[in-house]
Structure formats: C-alpha cells, structure tokens
C-alpha cells in the first residue's frame, strides 16, 4: 500500500490537522533558520518540530550505527510516550503529525474528531499494532477518513505528484515528553532519546539535533523544518 506523499507545506499540513480535529488555536509554521536569533521568532508555545530530510546513504549509515549503540547502552523511554511504526509507503508525513499531536494531547485542544477517535482506540496498543492500523482501511472507518484526508491534502500541494516516482525524503517528529527530547521515526526500531530538555529549552534543543541531520548531509539543501505552535491570532 502506498499513499501520495504530503508536501512540506505548513498551510497544507495545518489544514490536515484541523480537518482531523486539532483546534484552530494550533498551526504549523515554517522554521526558516535554526540560528538562535531566528528561533526567537517562532511563536510560543512550540510543542513539536517536523523535519523533512533526504534519505541518503549517510543517513542510513548513521541510523544503523545509532541503533547498535542504543541497543548496547539502552536509553530512557518514558511509559506514556506515544510511538507508532510505519508500514505504509509515503505515510511518514501523517505519522509525524500523529506523533506530534498524540504526545501533546494534554496541551492541544483536540476536538471530538478523527484524531481523537484514533488515539483513543490505539492508546493501549503496541507501536507495531498502531502502525498496522493504517493497513485496516476496509475495517476501520476512522482510518479510512484519515487516509482520505491525507490523499486530498497531498493533492493540494504545489508539487506535481507522480504516484510511480520514488520518494527520497522522509518526515520525522521531535517532541518533549517526561523531560526528554524524543525523535519519533516510524521506520526506526524505536524512538530516539536525544537527552534532557524542558518546555523552555525545547526549541533550542531540537534545533541542535536538526543541525546534526543537516551537517551529516551538508551537500544537500533539501531540508525543511516546521514547528507546531500556538496560532498567532
């Protein structure tokens, strides 16, 4: 199963969030620079970052090394962290948004909509079981509604879509949970704990990790960063 890829477009992805039940008090904004003076312009509170990056050989090499190191040293995973695996091609944008919303449900005004129903149904499931929910289109009307919204919003992007073209970029989410900064990538074996953070230092701490992604592929300019923030009404 494969979906149309979502474009890294804050207007399109914000529309997707609102369509699925996130309050209009929250939206996605572009992060144009990861330098400290530019980060000050990001509306607060900012509760999640979404990074789009190229899937290069350097990325896969680093991910394999990172996995090996974590398996040897272990890491802290707080029990209420919401994480799901990705089994559907080109669903990384939707999964990144799920990760961003699910791990901030107590802060975001989530209406009685598609997101809330899916989160309620999946809270007691394992990451693997959550990921397989997206394969249950005929069985689960809420998943069908979410996938339909994904496809509709993917077509609203500015990039011409070719369903047969291989996608070489990937979305991941960064959130704070239990005093730790987590990278949530449904294609990895587990969440990645990037160390301690607070609501006050979250933006600066995420920016450092995003800079590390960019530094590993410094020849490639195809990186974009968005933040999930309170709307500037």
């Amino acid at each position: 199963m494969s979906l149309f890829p979502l474009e890294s477009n804050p207007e399109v992805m914000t529309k997707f969030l609102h369509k699925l039940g996130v309050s209009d008090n929250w939206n996605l904004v572009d992060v144009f620079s990861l330098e400290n003076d530019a980060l000050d312009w990001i509306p607060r509170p900012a509760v999640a970052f979404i990074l789009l990056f190229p899937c290069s050989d350097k990325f896969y090499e680093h991910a394999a090394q990172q996995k090996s190191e974590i398996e040897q040293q272990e890491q802290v995973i707080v029990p209420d962290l919401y994480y799901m695996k990705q089994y559907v091609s080109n669903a990384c944008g939707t999964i990144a948004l799920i990760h961003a919303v699910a791990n901030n449900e107590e802060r975001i005004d989530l209406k009685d909509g598609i997101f809330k129903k899916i989160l309620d149904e999946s809270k007691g499931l394992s990451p693997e079981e959550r990921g397989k929910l997206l394969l249950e289109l005929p069985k689960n009307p809420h998943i069908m509604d979410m996938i339909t919204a994904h496809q509709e919003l993917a077509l609203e992007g500015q990039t011409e879509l070719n369903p047969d073209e291989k996608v070489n970029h990937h979305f991941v989410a960064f959130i704070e949970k239990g005093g730790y900064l987590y990278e949530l990538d449904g294609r990895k074996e587990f969440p990645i704990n990037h160390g301690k953070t607070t609501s006050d230092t979250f933006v600066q701490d995420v920016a450092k990790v995003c800079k590390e992604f960019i530094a590993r592929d410094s020849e490639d300019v195809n990186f974009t960063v968005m933040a999930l923030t309170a709307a500037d009404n």
Side-chain angles (χ1 to χ4, degrees), residues 154-219:
L155 293 170
E156 287 194 16
Q158 298 175 1
T159 305
E160 184 176 349
L161 293 176
N162 179 353
D164 299 320
E165 183 179 356
K166 183 179 179 181
V167 176
N168 292 314
H169 292 78
H170 186 61
F171 285 104
V172 297
F174 295 92
I175 59 94
E176 179 274 327
K177 200 75 171 177
Y180 292 96
L181 170 59
Y182 289 101
E183 170 193 335
L184 302 176
D185 180 346
R187 297 191 310 177
K188 291 189 173 180
E189 290 297 316
F190 33 68
I192 306 298
N193 184 329
H194 284 283
K196 291 188 176 181
T197 190
T198 68
S199 57
D200 292 334
T201 65
F202 173 71
V203 169
Q204 287 75 18
D205 293 336
V206 178
K208 291 176 185 176
V209 179
C210 291
K211 284 182 177 180
E212 292 171 1
F213 271 79
I214 296 170
R216 284 192 291 270
D217 271 297
S218 55
E219 308 87 12

Side-chain angles (χ1 to χ4, degrees), residues 100-115:
V101 172
N103 286 291
N104 287 289
E105 193 175 358
E106 71 283 358
R107 303 181 70 181
I108 293 175
D109 182 16
L110 198 56
K111 301 175 184 177
D112 188 17
I114 298 170
F115 257 155

Side-chain angles (χ1 to χ4, degrees), residues 60-111:
Y60 289 116
E61 289 169 6
H62 173 76
Q65 179 183 355
Q66 184 183 56
K67 175 177 178 290
S68 176
E69 291 174 354
I70 290 174
E71 288 176 337
Q72 293 176 32
Q73 301 174 6
E74 296 188 349
Q75 62 177 347
V76 175
I77 301 295
V78 295
D80 58 343
L81 182 71
Y82 187 100
Y83 176 64
M84 71 186 299
K85 298 283 286 179
Q86 179 183 343
Y87 300 118
V88 177
S89 295
N90 298 335
C92 57
T94 288
I95 289 176
L97 293 177
I98 291 173
H99 281 145
V101 172
N103 286 291
N104 287 289
E105 193 175 358
E106 71 283 358
R107 303 181 70 181
I108 293 175
D109 182 16
L110 198 56
K111 301 175 184 177

Side-chain angles (χ1 to χ4, degrees), residues 1-33:
M1 178 180 173
S2 180
L3 305 179
F4 289 129
L6 283 177
E7 185 176 81
S8 183
N9 180 320
E11 291 185 7
V12 170
M13 296 183 87
T14 293
K15 188 173 180 180
F16 183 47
L17 288 177
H18 293 167
K19 192 177 183 72
L20 297 187
V22 173
S23 164
D24 292 349
N25 293 327
W26 295 87
N27 62 7
L28 285 155
V29 298
D30 277 316
V31 176
F32 295 108
S33 171

